[in-house]
Amino acid sequence: MSQRAWVAAAIHKIEADFNRSADTHLIPLALAGYPGIEVYFKDESSHPTGSLKHRLARSLFLYALANGWLREGSPVIEASSGSTAVSEAYFARLLGLPFLAVIPSCTSPDKIAAIEFQGGRCHLVDDPAAINAESARLARESGGHFMDQFTYAERATDWRANNNIAESIFKQMAQEPHPVPDWIVCSPGTGGTSATLGRYVRYREHPSRILCVDPEHSVFFDYYRDALAGVADGSRTHHCGSRIEGIGRPRVEPSFIPQCVDAMAKIPDDLSLAAMRHVSARLGRRVGGSTGTNFVGVLLAAQAMQAQGREGSIVTILCDSGERYAHSYYSPEWYRSRGIDTEASDARIQERVEGRGAALEVPVAGDMTGCA
C-alpha cells in the first residue's frame, strides 16, 4: 500500500470511529448559595478513553496524518502526564501503530494500567520537565514520530467548528434558561482547550468569557500575569511538577495562548481536591482532581456574578473519572503523607457552595468584573 493510500485509510478509520461515538453529556449542578446562577459540567469522562484528552488525541492524529508525519508501522511517541497517552494509545492501536508514552514516574498506577490496556508501553521519567526532551530523543532513535501535544494542541484542533468542545457546549446550552454562558471555566494542561474555547467565542461573537484556573505547582498563571503587565517571559519555569494530574506544567508550553483567556486564577491544591470530593459526592461518582480545580473556578465566577447582582450560566469541564486516582486522591494515606488538611478545605468549599463565610481569596489576574 502506498503512503497516500495508507494515510487515506487511516483517516477513514478515525472518522468511522468518531461516527460511532455519541457526544458527551452536559450535566447541571445547582449551587444553593447562588440563586439565578446555573452551573453545568461538560462530562468528558464519557469518551471511549475516559477523558477530555480523547478529543485532543483524535485531532493530533488527524493533524499528523494530514501533514504526512505518520507512516505505516512506525512508532508514535508522546510526552504526557497520563490521560493524553491513554487516548493516543487508543488511536495508535486503531491504526496498528506501536505507541510509547513518556510519563513522569509519579503518574498514578491506574493511568499506567489504562495506557497498557490500550496497547501502549510506558517509559517513566523522574523529572517531569524532561519528558519532552526524552520523547524527542526516543523518536529520533526509533525513527518514529513525537506527537508533541504541548506544541500542537492549539493548532491541531479546528476551533471554528467540526464538533470541537466549544461548539458542542453551545449547541447543548441552546434550550437552557441562560443559553450563552457568562463564563466558561477550564484548566491548562497543554493550553489547547483554553485556546479553542477563547477563539470560538470570539469567532462566534459570543460575550462569554474564559476563566482559566491553574493548579498550585504550575507556571501558567505567573506567565499570564506577566503577559498582562507586558513583561511575559516564555522561559519561566516552576521548580516541580503539578500534584493535580493532567493540568499545570513546570514550563510555559507553546500551545498556551494568554490572549485567548479573559482571567486566570491560581488554585491551592487542598481546595482543588476538596472541590473534587464535593463534586464526586454531589454526582454520586468519582471525578479527577482537575475537575475539582475547575469547580473552584466556578465558585470564583459565581462569587463575582453574585457581587455584581447578575444572573446567568457557568459551564465547566468534568475532565476525567476519579477511578484512575484510587491510589492517590481517594486514598487517606496519600493526604497524610503530603500533609494536606482535608477537613478545613472540605468545610471551606461547602461554605462557598452554600454562599456562607468569606469569599474565596486566591490569586487572580485579569478582569472578573462586568461583561466582555
Side-chain angles (χ1 to χ4, degrees):
M1 184 183 295
S2 70
Q3 169 68 4
R4 283 291 295 273
W6 181 83
V7 166
I11 290 174
H12 183 81
K13 286 179 181 178
I14 292 175
E15 293 296 295
D17 178 79
F18 173 72
N19 204 44
R20 292 191 295 269
S21 301
D23 198 1
T24 60
H25 302 296
L26 195 65
I27 303 171
L29 188 73
L31 295 183
Y34 302 88
I37 298 175
E38 313 289 338
V39 173
Y40 304 84
F41 282 88
K42 180 66 168 163
D43 184 7
E44 296 294 283
S45 72
S46 58
H47 282 297
T49 55
S51 83
L52 168 66
K53 299 300 186 180
H54 192 84
R55 293 182 191 268
L56 173 59
R58 181 196 297 125
S59 295
L60 287 168
F61 267 83
L62 289 172
Y63 189 70
L65 286 164
N67 285 338
W69 294 344
L70 299 182
R71 305 188 68 84
E72 184 175 9
S74 294
V76 177
I77 295 95
E78 182 60 287
S80 171
S81 62
S83 289
T84 304
V86 176
S87 299
E88 287 192 18
Y90 172 93
F91 286 104
R93 182 168 66 175
L94 184 68
L95 303 186
L97 299 176
F99 179 77
L100 179 65
V102 180
I103 58 178
S105 56
C106 60
T107 301
S108 70
D110 306 271
K111 277 191 177 178
I112 293 172
I115 294 166
E116 293 173 344
F117 176 80
Q118 296 294 347
R121 294 186 298 112
C122 296
H123 180 86
L124 273 60
V125 176
D126 289 334
D127 180 5
I131 60 175
N132 279 47
E134 182 67 0
S135 297
R137 181 187 71 80
L138 291 168
R140 287 194 303 270
E141 293 180 358
S142 66
H145 175 64
F146 172 30
M147 276 291 196
D148 196 0
Q149 61 164 324
F150 296 108
T151 295
Y152 296 110
E154 56 88 11
R155 65 194 74 173
T157 301
D158 184 353
W159 48 269
R160 296 174 185 85
N162 195 25
N163 197 41
N164 66 41
I165 190 170
E167 182 186 41
S168 177
I169 286 170
F170 279 89
K171 283 184 176 180
Q172 291 176 320
M173 286 291 292
Q175 302 300 319
E176 298 304 312
H178 304 283
V180 177
D182 284 63
W183 288 98
I184 303 177
V185 181
C186 64
S187 42
T190 60
T193 300
S194 60
T196 297
L197 292 167
R199 287 166 172 168
Y200 185 86
V201 297
R202 289 164 176 78
Y203 177 64
R204 294 296 182 187
E205 302 176 34
H206 293 306
S208 306
R209 289 176 293 163
I210 310 304
L211 172 60
C212 194
V213 283
D214 204 27
E216 182 175 332
H217 296 293
S218 176
V219 75
F220 288 123
F221 174 83
D222 306 283
Y223 175 67
Y224 179 80
R225 185 174 53 190
D226 290 348
L228 291 180
V231 293
D233 180 4
S235 65
R236 177 188 275 274
T237 60
H238 190 72
H239 67 278
C240 66
S242 173
R243 285 192 293 199
I244 309 299
E245 283 194 33
I247 60 173
R249 291 288 292 153
R251 69 170 204 173
V252 179
E253 301 297 349
S255 278
F256 179 69
I257 312 297
Q259 293 82 2
C260 288
V261 173
D262 296 287
M264 280 199 78
K266 196 170 189 69
I267 311 301
D269 290 347
D270 64 330
L271 286 183
S272 289
L273 296 169
M276 173 201 76
R277 294 189 294 274
H278 177 88
V279 173
S280 295
R282 293 285 302 278
L283 296 181
R285 59 188 175 95
R286 291 176 173 179
V287 301
S290 54
T291 300
T293 307
N294 288 346
F295 187 62
V296 179
V298 167
L299 294 175
L300 290 171
Q303 281 181 179
M305 290 173 66
Q306 190 176 68
Q308 297 150 25
R310 294 167 52 206
E311 297 184 350
S313 60
I314 303 169
V315 177
T316 193
I317 301 170
L318 196 165
C319 303
D320 63 355
S321 166
E323 301 308 319
R324 292 176 176 174
Y325 308 100
H327 295 86
S328 54
Y329 306 146
Y330 291 93
S331 167
E333 177 55 37
W334 188 88
Y335 291 97
R336 283 194 294 269
S337 68
R338 288 159 179 78
I340 298 176
D341 179 359
T342 58
E343 289 188 13
S345 53
D346 283 345
R348 190 76 182 99
I349 292 298
Q350 187 62 40
E351 281 183 354
R352 281 291 80 211
V353 168
E354 296 173 0
R356 298 185 290 110
L360 290 174
E361 293 186 3
V362 301
V364 174
D367 185 12
M368 291 286 292
T369 63
C371 299

